[in-house]
Amino acid sequence: MPGTVSTVSIGRAVGNSAHTGDTPHPESPQADPPDPESPLPDSPGQRIRLLIARFLGLGFVAYFVVSISGFAEGAQLLESWWTPVAVFLVFAPGVALFVVTFAAPTRIAVAAAAAAIGIPLASALWFFAWNGGQLDGAARGTWLSALAGLAGLCAALVWRPLVAILIQLVATSSAAAVDQYGLFGPDASVLDIIYAAVWAFGFTTLLAVAVIMALRTGAILDATTSNHEYAAADAAASQAREQERVRFDSLIHDRVLATLLATARPDTGGRFSSDAKFVLAELDRAAEHPERSGTVSANLFAEQLAALVHRTNDPDNVVVFIDIDIAASEYPIAVASAIVGAAGEALRNSLRHANPEAERSLMIDLRPDAVRVLVTDTGGGFDTEAVGSGHLGIEVSIVRRMAELDGGSSKIDSGKGAGTKVLLEWSKVE
């Protein structure tokens, strides 16, 4: 092809002179361990919490509809101000809880806390508004008693289980007292109040415990996911330090020692001085953080990628195609590090999971301000939807690594019995 330099190599593309810039500088700080108190955004635990909040909010909407007739029924026992105040305290936060699960999930805690406090507060205000009368004989209770159990369920979304259970006790007990005084007036029996309170608390607490356990299960799942991702990132960091050490070893071997050995021969061309300055400049550049500065040549970049094959357990089973545009010159070290690391993971996955008879290839295409690397095999393949983000090697070492690179992207194409293709691409972002 005009304007390109093309080579084909089977198995052995590079020897000891390869520089691997697969990862950040050794002095780069390690990732902080996960905080178990800080849930992951859009995590399984957060989704469980969102669904529970939405269900409770829908419950408030339903209770409002069925309680409308009870508002007027109980108004005869109370001062006129209590009914609108109580309706606002009880139902406004509950309806808001339903709305924020769609519009602003970060506000769930605020709405749930207001809903949990509103029910017992409305019950307490009932005694200040009560005129001493009692409900019609056909009435079976006040509208408050029907939804008192929602208080503890909402509290479980915000506070610790013990606080949620305590709020459940206060809400159901106060609603039971309102019920008994509303039905029997001043003649209400203390024993009947206690019985009604215990029954209401015991029944609704089963639901509260179920919600608490569901939320706890979600929190445990979040913590486990976070710890696994941290472990994968920590392993990647360890690999990064090892790759960086190899890169410096190669630099010492290929540049420094070669220059020192050359001094044993006569300097007929007067090149020792310029070679030594070049080596010092290379050392200074290598010591800098690769994401801040530094570049790698197209040829060296290709050598780094081809060296991945040389370091596998079966280098003769991988065909390497290298196509370098003659105009291609330098690439940021961060780009080389990310692509070399992702390609290495793709090769390791192929050698680990594809059958030994599978044909494998590594295709390297270097253009000005653009890179395209394709790792393929003819193995059994896998279901990308089934594996997806659950495979930390794919998620952390390939997909996320390329996604975090400006201008980088990755595409994994595989299927049962159809082999696997991993495409890594980068183009310069203007």
Side-chain angles (χ1 to χ4, degrees):
M1 178 186 299
T4 65
V5 176
S6 301
T7 63
V8 178
S9 172
I10 300 180
R12 310 181 188 207
V14 137
N16 294 332
S17 63
H19 296 186
T20 55
D22 164 50
T23 46
H25 190 268
E27 295 180 359
S28 299
Q30 293 184 349
D32 293 331
D35 181 3
E37 298 296 326
S38 177
L40 302 173
D42 196 30
S43 64
Q46 289 294 77
R47 289 194 291 271
I48 291 173
R49 183 170 179 263
L50 179 69
L51 290 175
I52 292 174
R54 188 170 296 166
F55 177 78
L56 293 176
L58 187 61
F60 276 99
V61 174
Y63 273 121
F64 176 78
V65 173
V66 300
S67 299
I68 292 176
S69 61
F71 298 158
E73 189 178 67
Q76 58 182 330
L77 310 180
L78 304 160
E79 298 291 339
S80 60
W81 58 265
W82 184 85
T83 298
V85 170
V87 169
F88 177 80
L89 288 174
V90 172
F91 292 106
V95 174
L97 179 62
F98 180 70
V99 172
V100 298
T101 60
F102 294 98
T106 56
R107 300 294 183 182
I108 286 176
V110 176
I117 295 172
I119 294 175
L121 181 57
S123 297
L125 292 175
W126 187 91
F127 291 96
F128 292 95
W130 182 42
N131 59 20
Q134 58 190 83
L135 292 170
D136 185 281
R140 306 183 67 177
T142 63
W143 60 268
L144 267 178
S145 62
L147 48 82
L150 291 177
L153 305 185
C154 291
L157 293 171
V158 186
W159 297 296
R160 294 182 180 277
L162 184 60
V163 177
I165 296 299
L166 180 60
I167 290 177
Q168 185 83 332
L169 175 62
V170 172
T172 54
S173 299
S174 59
V178 167
D179 238 17
Q180 292 298 308
Y181 280 108
L183 289 171
F184 304 108
D187 297 328
S189 166
V190 174
L191 289 178
D192 286 342
I193 294 173
I194 294 174
Y195 175 81
V198 170
W199 189 91
F201 173 70
F203 178 75
T204 58
T205 298
L206 294 176
L207 298 176
V209 170
V211 168
I212 290 169
M213 294 305 297
L215 293 171
R216 177 173 174 78
T217 300
I220 292 173
L221 183 58
D222 284 350
T224 302
T225 301
S226 178
N227 286 334
H228 282 179
E229 289 189 355
Y230 172 73
D234 189 55
S238 298
Q239 182 185 11
R241 290 189 293 272
E242 175 62 20
Q243 293 292 339
E244 194 70 5
R245 183 190 65 78
V246 172
R247 187 170 74 90
F248 273 86
D249 286 348
S250 298
L251 179 60
I252 295 297
H253 176 271
D254 299 338
R255 301 295 189 187
V256 177
L257 293 181
T259 302
L260 291 175
L261 290 173
T263 60
R265 301 188 297 270
D267 186 14
T268 55
R271 295 175 50 87
F272 288 165
S273 177
S274 60
D275 288 347
K277 290 179 180 178
F278 176 78
V279 170
L280 291 175
E282 284 281 297
L283 288 172
D284 289 340
R285 186 169 59 180
E288 295 176 356
H289 197 290
E291 293 184 358
R292 289 201 301 262
S293 62
T295 58
V296 60
S297 68
N299 287 332
L300 186 55
F301 191 3
E303 288 179 3
Q304 292 176 10
L305 287 164
L308 295 171
V309 175
H310 184 72
R311 292 199 300 272
T312 63
N313 295 329
D314 192 9
D316 294 329
N317 196 24
V318 184
V319 180
V320 180
F321 299 90
I322 304 176
D323 191 356
I324 305 176
D325 192 298
I326 199 168
S329 56
E330 300 285 326
Y331 299 91
I333 290 180
V335 172
S337 298
I339 294 179
V340 169
E345 180 63 24
L347 275 174
R348 285 188 293 272
N349 282 340
S350 175
L351 292 167
R352 186 182 301 120
H353 299 295
N355 56 69
E357 293 77 19
E359 297 178 0
R360 299 174 176 84
S361 66
L362 172 63
M363 302 179 186
I364 305 164
D365 187 7
L366 303 182
R367 305 288 162 181
D369 298 329
V371 178
R372 187 176 186 271
V373 175
L374 180 63
V375 180
T376 67
D377 68 51
T378 59
F382 61 93
D383 185 351
T384 55
E385 293 185 359
V387 176
S389 60
H391 192 291
L392 293 179
I394 294 175
E395 176 69 15
V396 175
S397 299
I398 297 179
V399 177
R400 188 181 303 175
R401 174 178 270 160
M402 292 302 298
E404 291 175 351
L405 182 66
D406 286 342
S409 65
S410 62
K411 181 180 179 182
I412 301 174
D413 184 11
S414 185
K416 288 292 186 179
T420 302
K421 295 180 181 179
V422 179
L423 177 62
L424 311 173
E425 292 184 299
W426 172 83
S427 58
K428 185 176 181 180
V429 178
E430 298 297 339

